[in-house]
Amino acid sequence: MKKTFLACIVAASFALPALAQQQLTVVNFGGANANAQKKAYYEPYEKTGTKIIPVEYNGEQAKIKAMVETKKVTWDVVEVESPDAVRGCDEGLFEKLDYSKIGSKADFLPAAVTDCGVGLFVWSTVMAYNGEKLKTAPTSWADFWDVKKIPGKRGMRKGARYNLEFALMADGVKPADVYKVLATKEGADRAFKKLTELKPNIQWWEAGAQPPQFLVAGDVVLTTVYNGRIDAANREGRDLKIYWPGGIYDLDYLVIPKGAPNKEASLKYIQFTMQPANQAVYAQSIAYGPTNTKALASLSPKVLADLPTSAANAKDALQFSVGFWADQGEALEKRFASWATQ
Amino acid sequence: MQAPPGELRRALGRAEARRKWRAFALTVPLLVFLLLTLLVPIVALLQRAVENPEVANALPRTVRALDGWNRKEAPAPAAFAAIAADLAQLPDSSDAGALARRLNTEIAGARSLVMGTFRALPIAGTPEEVKARMLELDPRWGEAPYWQAIAKNGSRWTPDYLLASVDLRRDVAGEIERMPADQRAFAGILLRTFQISAVVTFFCLLLAYPLAWWLSTLPARKANVLMILVLVPFWTSILVRVAAWIVLLQSEGLVNRGLMGIGLTDHPLALLFNRTGVIIAMVHILLPFMILPLYSVMKSVPPTYLRAAVSLGSSPLAAFFRVYVPQTYPGIGAGALLVFILAIGYYVTPALLGGADDQMLSYYIARYTNVEINWGMACALGAVLLVATLLLYAVYRRIGKAELSLG
């Protein structure tokens, strides 16, 4: 008996190398989005024989920088936000991608194709309110500033990003002109001045999960929020509503940190995530838009109604300007810190 | 057999020396640990705060070409040729990225200027041709501020990060001046950090003193049971406690409902996402750090002194304040210092419970580390926080005049 057991162990230890599976460490932002990625990408991909080890992070590029600089890269595929995708590429944190191994560029949204990162999904920062509580629905960004018409607090992200754009739109700037105006000194002054008007009525949020809670708890009447969070709350039985015009949409990208050990396997995984069928499953799990335009065709009107990429919702939306924020971000965020102190 | 007395003394001396060395050897692991985990990182942090290698490494020719430039209008064509040659020599695009990032912290927009030019390489020809080609590529090359940023950062060491962390900067000529009003932030934030910490320390003392006093008068059995109640929250994750405060303090939360229920207010008070919420939660989290030192000192104060004072004719209140309280000063000092120093570094609690104007310095240190990836600035702010804390400690030592240990 004992001998057979021992023999089994010996046999197993010899067999192990053959069983050793390909593993990929895939890093995401956690939450409902991670669950959707698990359902649409991780689980189906594991059936092809590669084990996916999901890791959550908070977007800290410092971690990737530290890994790349010390040449101890343990992450294979990382989801990053657009400014980080561009900046990290410039600074040599990510591998350049070989698109012949990912798919046809023509099928992807133009914004999804960059040197180091391929866009995985489209999300949008929008205005939202609680349909159960608010009687007068907002009809413009000026209403977000109008505390007489809709009394109550406003939720806004702590920081300059998005808020300056919204401030200019509330001040009458057309979405198409927002970044042109904001790039000038007068434009930035104008945005901060507009923000000052609303300052006593702003309740700041830090994490994406907070604004839906604010709305549900009645702490704020209107808030800026990532659209997927509203969708997630509504799936739990809430009646939160989105005002789409003037929403700022952006992409999250998949990148491979420079020096990652399994580059080829990572590319294969990325190729898998960019296939229309898989992206359609993803979009059904969370209201973020597919980057492979062919995925849209298979989605029902009900799913499309909640996606930032559907024609109706994208009509008056503003594309987040990565270039503008990569240049001006640090100075504007510092100015925001200074403004908040006053 | 008896050893001669001199030999015995020597043997004793040797044994004594061995004992001393053994005692010292026991502390060696701790000393090495402290050296590695405390001193080395602090030195590295201070070094990063003044290090400025990007421009000097990437653009040596340009820095030389800009030597003697009047710093007012765009430089001579030779400087254009030098920068084109320097960029072409960079071994890796990541070096251009590092340069672009460094210059962008100096003047917003330099990132796209440098990277755009780097991608358009090679630019060859006579200096005049290079200049024309670069201006055609991006007319911003004709503007002096971008060149000033390069000229200013030609040296490997810079005071700029440290200056910026106290809202100062060097002007074009190298003279130190105040930041423009809309870029002044950190002096105010440092002040705010100290203000919040002081208020938190004050409330901790106010709440902890009577509690610690009561605990110290109880019999050991009861005191131990109650001490567990103090310690249980101490062992709970900070995030959990912050989340619990959000539930309690929100406008339809338990506290507001209670206040409205007993008629103290007719509309919910704003207790969250402002200074009030930050202070409430920080006091709660830091309270054990005040209670424990106070309790340990109060335990050692003999109750007979107070009784003696009263029996000698002092009123109980005067006896308490003139006899008892002075004996607990070491506990007050240790507790206050501990709470204050811990509070200065707070980050998660204000981030989740505070508004945009309640953030403390650590929030910005984390921001520069993780989001802006401007580690020079993060280290400079860290150095300012460190120096401010040490200064405060020195002042405290001078006023307190007492040797003080945190143990």
Side-chain angles (χ1 to χ4, degrees):
Chain A
M1 182 65 196
K2 214 171 184 182
K3 256 184 197 159
T4 23
F5 182 63
L6 211 74
C8 275
I9 290 186
V10 172
S13 60
F14 277 110
L16 263 180
L19 287 174
Q21 238 180 340
Q22 174 83 50
Q23 288 189 341
L24 281 182
T25 305
V26 180
V27 184
N28 60 52
F29 280 81
N33 189 0
N35 292 337
Q37 290 191 36
K38 185 174 168 215
K39 191 172 161 208
Y41 307 130
Y42 302 168
E43 285 174 353
Y45 194 68
E46 286 198 326
K47 289 187 187 126
T48 67
T50 301
K51 190 167 167 46
I52 301 281
I53 303 168
V55 171
E56 285 182 16
Y57 84 139
N58 222 346
E60 304 97 340
Q61 298 304 296
K63 284 189 183 165
I64 302 176
K65 189 175 155 86
M67 279 189 201
V68 173
E69 281 184 1
T70 55
K71 298 199 169 26
K72 287 199 186 89
V73 180
T74 52
W75 290 354
D76 291 304
V77 180
V78 186
E79 176 188 340
V80 297
E81 295 186 333
S82 57
D84 295 328
V86 172
R87 190 168 58 181
C89 195
D90 284 351
E91 295 178 15
L93 295 183
F94 307 140
E95 298 278 358
K96 296 248 157 53
L97 295 177
D98 178 359
Y99 274 87
S100 67
K101 290 179 180 156
I102 293 175
S104 157
K105 282 187 193 180
D107 293 345
F108 304 157
L109 291 179
V113 182
T114 71
D115 285 352
C116 298
V118 57
L120 182 64
F121 60 87
V122 183
W123 54 282
S124 188
T125 308
V126 292
M127 188 202 304
Y129 56 97
N130 192 339
E132 291 161 18
K133 297 195 175 179
L134 190 65
K135 298 285 167 285
T136 34
T139 52
S140 69
W141 272 95
D143 286 353
F144 194 88
W145 258 254
D146 193 342
V147 286
K148 284 209 190 76
K149 185 174 166 194
I150 306 173
K153 289 233 169 205
R154 270 63 168 154
M156 287 185 120
R157 182 179 172 276
K158 206 182 287 159
R161 209 203 271 186
Y162 313 127
N163 293 338
L164 296 180
E165 287 98 322
F166 291 139
L168 285 182
M169 284 189 256
D171 209 26
V173 177
K174 280 202 275 320
D177 299 331
V178 161
Y179 286 111
K180 221 182 331 167
V181 174
L182 200 53
T184 62
K185 175 90 173 73
E186 297 73 41
D189 290 347
R190 183 174 165 191
F192 274 104
K193 198 164 151 252
K194 189 74 183 169
L195 218 49
T196 310
E197 278 176 32
L198 197 61
K199 199 175 182 184
N201 295 298
I202 300 176
Q203 179 161 313
W204 301 100
W205 52 269
E206 176 81 16
Q210 284 179 308
Q213 285 165 4
F214 289 2
L215 285 178
V216 171
D219 283 340
V220 303
V221 287
L222 296 172
T223 187
T224 64
V225 61
Y226 307 137
N227 77 293
R229 300 285 185 168
I230 293 296
D231 177 63
N234 286 343
R235 278 168 205 250
E236 287 169 10
R238 305 289 174 189
D239 183 25
L240 305 184
K241 296 242 185 329
I242 290 177
Y243 175 76
W244 285 99
I248 302 171
Y249 70 92
D250 194 7
L251 282 71
D252 266 19
Y253 293 81
L254 289 183
V255 299
I256 303 174
K258 187 162 252 173
N262 308 308
K263 201 179 157 194
E264 287 307 310
S266 301
L267 278 172
K268 248 169 90 184
Y269 168 76
I270 293 176
Q271 187 262 345
F272 183 81
T273 65
M274 293 304 287
Q275 287 169 12
N278 300 327
Q279 291 216 333
V281 176
Y282 174 78
Q284 281 158 5
S285 314
I286 189 164
Y288 289 139
T291 46
N292 189 321
T293 46
K294 284 189 171 163
L296 284 174
S298 63
L299 294 171
S300 70
K302 193 174 162 299
V303 172
L304 281 173
D306 290 330
L307 293 186
T309 35
S310 70
N313 294 340
K315 198 164 61 106
D316 294 312
L318 168 69
Q319 186 182 356
F320 177 76
S321 172
V322 181
F324 174 81
W325 281 98
D327 271 2
Q328 306 289 333
E330 194 173 332
L332 286 176
E333 291 295 351
K334 188 164 175 211
R335 182 165 179 190
F336 178 84
S338 167
W339 170 84
T341 312
Q342 281 155 21
Chain B
M1 273 284 283
Q2 212 166 5
E7 199 167 308
L8 182 64
R9 203 180 302 128
R10 271 198 299 280
L12 275 173
R14 272 201 301 275
E16 184 68 13
R18 253 205 311 276
R19 219 166 50 85
K20 270 190 189 157
W21 274 111
R22 208 173 295 149
F24 177 71
L26 283 175
T27 66
V28 164
L30 180 67
L31 287 178
V32 171
F33 180 76
L34 278 181
L35 188 77
L36 287 180
T37 59
L38 194 69
L39 284 178
V40 171
I42 287 179
V43 171
L45 175 124
L46 295 176
Q47 190 189 339
R48 276 253 183 186
V50 291
E51 223 172 19
N52 187 33
E54 292 91 350
V55 175
N57 280 350
L59 305 176
R61 295 186 197 81
T62 318
V63 171
R64 248 175 287 131
L66 287 178
D67 214 21
W69 165 54
N70 68 9
R71 301 201 175 193
K72 289 202 182 71
E73 63 257 2
F80 286 83
I83 201 169
D86 276 333
L87 287 177
Q89 294 269 306
L90 289 178
D92 194 59
S93 77
S94 65
D95 299 284
L99 172 73
R101 174 167 48 77
R102 176 69 190 98
L103 290 176
N104 203 64
T105 63
E106 202 63 51
I107 173 162
R111 185 193 299 273
S112 59
L113 181 65
V114 171
M115 290 316 291
T117 310
F118 181 74
R119 288 201 197 93
L121 291 173
I123 302 170
T126 65
E128 280 72 20
E129 283 166 14
V130 171
K131 180 175 178 179
R133 175 84 185 85
M134 278 174 71
L135 285 175
E136 179 196 332
L137 202 66
D138 198 324
R140 285 182 292 171
W141 280 121
E143 294 168 24
Y146 297 98
W147 293 99
Q148 285 160 359
I150 296 173
K152 197 173 134 193
N153 288 297
S155 129
R156 280 188 173 276
W157 306 97
T158 179
D160 284 346
Y161 294 125
L162 287 172
L163 289 175
S165 64
V166 287
D167 291 344
L168 297 172
R169 68 171 187 186
R170 287 184 299 162
D171 64 9
V172 181
E175 299 292 321
I176 290 172
E177 59 171 20
R178 283 190 82 189
M179 284 268 178
D182 64 8
Q183 293 285 313
R184 258 175 238 159
F186 296 128
I189 289 163
L190 188 68
L191 194 68
R192 177 198 300 161
T193 306
F194 282 103
Q195 267 171 359
I196 293 179
S197 304
V199 172
V200 167
T201 309
F202 173 75
F203 279 112
C204 275
L205 184 62
L206 209 64
L207 291 174
Y209 200 89
L211 182 68
W213 180 69
W214 181 58
L215 282 176
S216 74
T217 60
L218 286 176
R221 255 179 92 93
K222 265 191 186 166
N224 284 343
V225 172
L226 288 168
M227 196 50 104
I228 289 178
L229 293 182
V230 173
L231 289 176
V232 165
F234 183 57
W235 289 324
T236 317
S237 144
I238 287 190
L239 276 178
V240 172
R241 283 185 279 171
V242 167
W245 278 115
I246 293 179
V247 175
L248 287 175
L249 296 177
Q250 64 192 7
S251 56
E252 287 179 15
L254 212 58
V255 173
N256 266 319
R257 283 211 185 144
L259 288 177
M260 286 193 287
I262 56 174
L264 273 179
T265 170
D266 53 357
H267 58 89
L269 301 175
L271 299 171
L272 261 190
F273 311 110
N274 54 22
R275 198 61 61 87
T276 319
V278 173
I279 287 173
I280 291 177
M282 279 180 71
V283 167
H284 171 233
I285 292 167
L286 290 168
L287 202 53
F289 293 97
M290 187 66 98
I291 294 176
L292 293 175
L294 278 177
Y295 175 74
S296 76
V297 168
M298 286 172 174
K299 267 313 248 194
S300 67
V301 176
T304 44
Y305 289 1
L306 204 58
R307 268 182 250 143
V310 175
S311 73
L312 286 171
S314 166
S315 80
L317 212 61
F320 182 77
F321 281 108
R322 292 178 59 188
V323 176
Y324 187 76
V325 173
Q327 294 185 82
T328 60
Y329 280 165
I332 296 177
L337 196 67
L338 198 60
V339 168
F340 190 83
I341 289 178
L342 285 171
I344 283 179
Y346 258 55
Y347 154 62
V348 174
T349 315
L352 289 174
L353 294 177
D357 56 348
D358 303 313
Q359 300 310 313
M360 296 165 70
L361 202 58
S362 313
Y363 177 84
Y364 294 93
I365 296 178
R367 202 186 160 81
Y368 277 106
T369 311
N370 289 326
V371 183
E372 315 286 2
I373 323 268
N374 183 349
W375 290 358
M377 198 63 225
C379 288
L381 289 174
V384 166
L385 196 58
L386 179 73
V387 169
T389 312
L390 288 179
L391 274 180
L392 226 98
Y393 181 61
V395 169
Y396 172 85
R397 284 279 297 269
R398 172 127 322 169
I399 295 172
K401 283 202 186 84
E403 273 304 313
L404 183 95
S405 61
L406 294 178

Short mmCIF file of all heavy atoms in Angstrom, two decimals, chain B residues 66-75 144 148 172:
data_model
loop_
_atom_site.label_atom_id
_atom_site.label_comp_id
_atom_site.label_asym_id
_atom_site.label_seq_id
_atom_site.Cartn_x
_atom_site.Cartn_y
_atom_site.Cartn_z
N LEU B 66 23.79 75.82 -25.44
CA LEU B 66 22.97 76.89 -24.84
C LEU B 66 23.76 77.71 -23.83
O LEU B 66 23.24 78.68 -23.28
CB LEU B 66 21.74 76.27 -24.15
CG LEU B 66 20.65 75.75 -25.08
CD1 LEU B 66 19.53 75.13 -24.28
CD2 LEU B 66 20.11 76.87 -25.97
N ASP B 67 25.01 77.29 -23.59
CA ASP B 67 25.85 78.04 -22.67
C ASP B 67 26.09 79.43 -23.24
O ASP B 67 26.52 79.58 -24.37
CB ASP B 67 27.19 77.28 -22.53
CG ASP B 67 27.73 77.44 -21.13
OD1 ASP B 67 26.93 77.76 -20.22
OD2 ASP B 67 28.94 77.23 -20.94
N GLY B 68 25.77 80.45 -22.46
CA GLY B 68 25.98 81.80 -22.94
C GLY B 68 24.83 82.36 -23.76
O GLY B 68 24.89 83.48 -24.25
N TRP B 69 23.78 81.59 -23.90
CA TRP B 69 22.58 82.08 -24.61
C TRP B 69 21.89 83.10 -23.72
O TRP B 69 21.86 82.96 -22.50
CB TRP B 69 21.68 80.86 -24.89
CG TRP B 69 20.27 81.17 -25.29
CD1 TRP B 69 19.87 81.98 -26.30
CD2 TRP B 69 19.08 80.65 -24.70
NE1 TRP B 69 18.50 82.01 -26.38
CE2 TRP B 69 17.99 81.20 -25.41
CE3 TRP B 69 18.81 79.78 -23.64
CZ2 TRP B 69 16.66 80.90 -25.09
CZ3 TRP B 69 17.49 79.48 -23.33
CH2 TRP B 69 16.43 80.03 -24.05
N ASN B 70 21.28 84.16 -24.35
CA ASN B 70 20.71 85.25 -23.54
C ASN B 70 19.41 84.88 -22.85
O ASN B 70 18.88 85.63 -22.04
CB ASN B 70 20.54 86.51 -24.39
CG ASN B 70 19.44 86.32 -25.44
OD1 ASN B 70 18.71 85.34 -25.43
ND2 ASN B 70 19.36 87.27 -26.36
N ARG B 71 18.85 83.68 -23.15
CA ARG B 71 17.65 83.14 -22.50
C ARG B 71 16.41 83.99 -22.73
O ARG B 71 15.46 83.92 -21.96
CB ARG B 71 17.87 82.97 -20.99
CG ARG B 71 19.03 82.04 -20.67
CD ARG B 71 18.92 81.48 -19.28
NE ARG B 71 19.99 80.51 -19.06
CZ ARG B 71 20.04 79.67 -18.05
NH1 ARG B 71 19.09 79.66 -17.15
NH2 ARG B 71 21.03 78.82 -17.92
N LYS B 72 16.43 84.82 -23.77
CA LYS B 72 15.25 85.65 -24.00
C LYS B 72 14.49 85.23 -25.25
O LYS B 72 13.29 85.04 -25.22
CB LYS B 72 15.65 87.12 -24.08
CG LYS B 72 16.08 87.65 -22.72
CD LYS B 72 15.98 89.14 -22.63
CE LYS B 72 16.47 89.63 -21.27
NZ LYS B 72 17.95 89.50 -21.11
N GLU B 73 15.20 85.10 -26.38
CA GLU B 73 14.50 84.63 -27.58
C GLU B 73 15.07 83.28 -28.00
O GLU B 73 15.99 82.78 -27.35
CB GLU B 73 14.58 85.65 -28.72
CG GLU B 73 15.97 85.92 -29.22
CD GLU B 73 16.49 87.26 -28.70
OE1 GLU B 73 15.78 87.93 -27.94
OE2 GLU B 73 17.61 87.61 -29.07
N ALA B 74 14.49 82.67 -29.03
CA ALA B 74 14.95 81.36 -29.48
C ALA B 74 16.45 81.40 -29.75
O ALA B 74 16.97 82.40 -30.26
CB ALA B 74 14.19 80.95 -30.74
N PRO B 75 17.16 80.33 -29.41
CA PRO B 75 18.62 80.34 -29.54
C PRO B 75 19.09 80.22 -31.00
O PRO B 75 18.28 80.06 -31.91
CB PRO B 75 19.04 79.13 -28.72
CG PRO B 75 17.87 78.22 -28.77
CD PRO B 75 16.66 79.09 -28.84
N ALA B 144 10.89 80.73 -26.50
CA ALA B 144 12.01 80.65 -25.54
C ALA B 144 11.75 79.74 -24.33
O ALA B 144 12.68 79.06 -23.89
CB ALA B 144 12.36 82.06 -25.07
N GLN B 148 14.44 77.53 -22.33
CA GLN B 148 14.84 77.91 -20.97
C GLN B 148 14.79 76.69 -20.04
O GLN B 148 15.65 76.49 -19.19
CB GLN B 148 13.89 78.99 -20.42
CG GLN B 148 14.14 80.37 -21.01
CD GLN B 148 12.93 81.28 -20.83
OE1 GLN B 148 11.91 80.88 -20.29
NE2 GLN B 148 13.06 82.51 -21.31
N VAL B 172 13.98 82.71 -14.80
CA VAL B 172 14.88 82.46 -15.94
C VAL B 172 16.34 82.74 -15.58
O VAL B 172 17.25 82.02 -16.00
CB VAL B 172 14.44 83.33 -17.14
CG1 VAL B 172 15.33 83.06 -18.33
CG2 VAL B 172 13.00 83.03 -17.47
#
